[in-house]
Amino acid sequence: YELCAVNLALVVRVLPHLQADLQCRDAWRRRAVTTLVGRMLAHIAPTISLASSTAAMRPPLAMTHPLLLDRHLERLGDSDEEVRLAALGGVSSLFATCMALGGGSEEADWDSVGPGSTSIMSAIAQLGIVLRVKLLERCLDPSDAVRLRVIEITAEVAGSDEGVKLLAPVLPEVFRRILDKRPRIREACASAAAALYGRHALPAWSAGHVDSPRLLSWIPQILCEAYGVFASGHVGQTGLLEELIEQQIIGCGAKMDAQQRAFALIGFVASASSEEKAAQGLASLLGRKRDAHAALRRFLKHRLEKGRPVMEPDAPGALVPQGSDEGVTKRAGCVPEAVMALENLGRHSPTAEDRNSRPGALMVHLRAMDAVRDRALW
């Protein structure tokens, strides 16, 4: 790679051998060569014009050697997981090259390269389209690590405005991995999608630009749809979705005035309500939050009326009840309604929706909160 960075002519004779090694039987060698070729294909080297003493960009190897590029992209379907990950590393570098060469040019309209475009801009646009198709194909890879890497690359590329334009046709499908069977992929996908909306769409909505954020209206839709699926399937992570929606989608905690917050809320509701499954998830989200807030208010009412922990017995020497049995609570000196209010609060916690959660551990935390005697808190 260092020789290629100095001058491509130093390694041009070995390129056919590298192309052959991309298909060798040794998985370790394929992985090493795939990593090397990916770096070489994406490398951008300046060339110095002796006549003008100015530097100009030399087309990268990916544009001058399309057959080598094709062989490298074929490794995305390799039988070895590590080779596929190495190929994805090359795809990430190639995306960076596309952004560097075409991101600041008015001619880089990724999906409509006109006849007046220069050949270099046309090649950049075509390369970007090929890469996004390959990225979409790998989001269904059987390997968890590969699917997770696809999400990471997609989030990295879409971090810029030009990256969003390039990946716009495939972004909704890639981020459908929010419904993946693996929790870590669901979490990564939800976090990346919400951050994407918060970076590009939320500022536009809060400024009142109601047309520009339409490109990412699918993000509130998939978050609300995922909330409905997670809640009904008791798979957990609904608390994460609530947090992402509050912080990244409607801007809770951001320094926005009332009008900006109103526009952000309008954008969220308008986007989520325009799709059936998303609207159902939004209704479930609002209903659950309403019930949880009511449970919290009931608990606070009993806590403030008593002036001390609701689980603390009124009768001297009484034992703290471990259940909600009315006879037990009366003998222990606790108010049954107050105990029920605390347990009802636990049932409405997002943590309790996870089928793998431990209700006992949640109640320990709630009892610890109930035991806090700081009057300023209550």
Side-chain angles (χ1 to χ4, degrees), residues 108-321:
D109 189 353
W110 303 106
D111 291 289
S112 57
V113 180
S117 300
T118 60
S119 58
I120 184 67
M121 288 298 106
S122 177
I124 292 172
Q126 292 174 4
L127 176 59
I129 293 173
V130 169
L131 292 176
R132 77 185 182 194
V133 171
K134 295 294 184 181
L135 197 64
L136 178 61
E137 293 174 353
R138 284 301 98 200
C139 75
L140 298 176
D141 194 276
S143 168
D144 299 351
V146 173
R147 296 199 304 278
L148 183 61
R149 183 62 180 135
V150 168
I151 298 301
E152 294 171 351
I153 293 174
T154 303
E156 292 170 3
V157 176
S160 64
D161 293 338
E162 285 299 328
V164 172
K165 293 178 183 178
L166 170 58
L167 296 182
V170 302
L171 281 176
E173 192 64 30
V174 171
F175 282 108
R176 293 291 298 179
R177 289 296 91 208
I178 197 175
L179 302 176
D180 197 276
K181 61 182 180 180
R182 299 299 183 188
R184 64 170 182 162
I185 298 178
R186 295 198 299 265
E187 179 179 354
C189 196
S191 300
L196 184 63
Y197 187 94
R199 185 180 302 113
H200 298 286
L202 179 59
W205 269 114
S206 61
H209 303 154
V210 298
D211 293 327
S212 55
R214 296 294 181 182
L215 183 66
L216 299 177
S217 61
W218 53 268
I219 294 181
Q221 293 173 5
I222 65 168
L223 291 176
C224 289
E225 179 184 350
Y227 186 92
V229 173
F230 295 172
S232 61
H234 299 284
V235 298
Q237 297 182 312
T238 54
L240 170 67
L241 293 179
E242 289 185 20
E243 180 180 354
L244 293 174
I245 289 173
E246 291 170 357
Q247 294 182 357
Q248 301 288 355
I249 308 301
I250 59 179
C252 291
K255 296 180 179 179
M256 297 191 299
D257 56 33
Q259 183 178 10
Q260 290 174 323
R261 294 197 301 272
F263 275 127
L265 183 59
I266 289 173
F268 168 59
V269 176
S271 299
S273 301
S274 60
E275 201 272 332
E276 182 180 0
K277 292 182 179 180
Q280 294 173 356
L282 176 60
S284 175
L285 167 63
L286 296 178
R288 286 169 176 266
K289 290 185 77 68
R290 180 179 61 247
D291 295 341
H293 290 169
L296 177 60
R297 287 193 295 270
R298 284 194 296 270
F299 166 71
L300 290 176
K301 176 177 177 295
H302 289 292
R303 182 62 171 75
L304 293 173
E305 287 178 351
K306 188 172 183 179
R308 58 179 181 272
V310 298
M311 300 299 291
E312 182 178 285
D314 293 330
L319 298 177
V320 176

